[in-house]
Amino acid sequence: MALKSEKLFDAMAAFLPDKGDEIVKKVGSVFYFEISRAKGETPSVWTVDLKNGKGSIKKGKEGSADATFIMLDDDLISMAEGKLHPQQAFLEGKMRIKGNMGAAMKFTPDLLPKTPKL
């Protein structure tokens, strides 16, 4: 069964051709997202490049990341829907971050496209 967040990453990829230039100027980093359905499961990984061109999103690890977000699928969706604040997720252990914390802090929920219920 596919992760709910696949739709979110697809929506983000569709969002980049129009808004990518502006986002790349603001963020300037590459991120990995390691997303699991449940703790202990092997994660699915996406590379979110907000450093080059208009940005890109690809399934799998590409190149090297400035920061890696490690979360459960439901928590990422809650964050995208505005139900879970990133700081709260981090402090409660729902989101782990590896790598450059300064780069990670530039990836904020306002970068996510406003989408209907995922």
Side-chain angles (χ1 to χ4, degrees):
M1 189 170 144
L3 296 172
K4 296 176 206 169
S5 55
E6 281 197 51
K7 289 182 183 176
L8 176 64
F9 288 109
D10 289 345
M12 289 170 63
F15 184 70
L16 288 175
D18 292 333
K19 302 285 184 183
D21 288 335
E22 160 188 339
I23 293 171
V24 166
K25 284 179 193 167
K26 179 179 177 182
V27 179
S29 297
V30 176
F31 305 98
Y32 292 151
F33 281 80
E34 295 182 2
I35 309 298
S36 304
R37 190 176 330 286
K39 286 187 182 194
E41 284 190 9
T42 302
S44 291
V45 181
W46 281 267
T47 300
V48 178
D49 180 345
L50 300 177
K51 188 178 208 171
N52 301 295
K54 289 187 173 219
S56 65
I57 297 177
K58 296 184 174 107
K59 192 158 188 183
K61 286 188 177 182
E62 295 224 352
S64 61
D66 296 294
T68 301
F69 295 94
I70 303 161
M71 325 178 56
L72 295 179
D73 191 38
D74 287 339
D75 293 332
L76 178 58
I77 294 302
S78 292
M79 196 178 307
E81 293 174 341
K83 297 176 184 173
L84 177 64
H85 191 277
Q87 278 184 308
Q88 176 188 0
F90 182 76
L91 293 172
E92 292 177 0
K94 293 181 178 182
M95 175 175 63
R96 290 188 3 240
I97 300 170
K98 291 193 292 190
N100 183 325
M101 191 64 72
M105 290 176 65
K106 291 180 183 178
F107 193 95
T108 57
D110 67 309
L111 297 176
L112 302 173
K114 303 301 175 233
T115 58
K117 181 120 174 103
L118 298 167

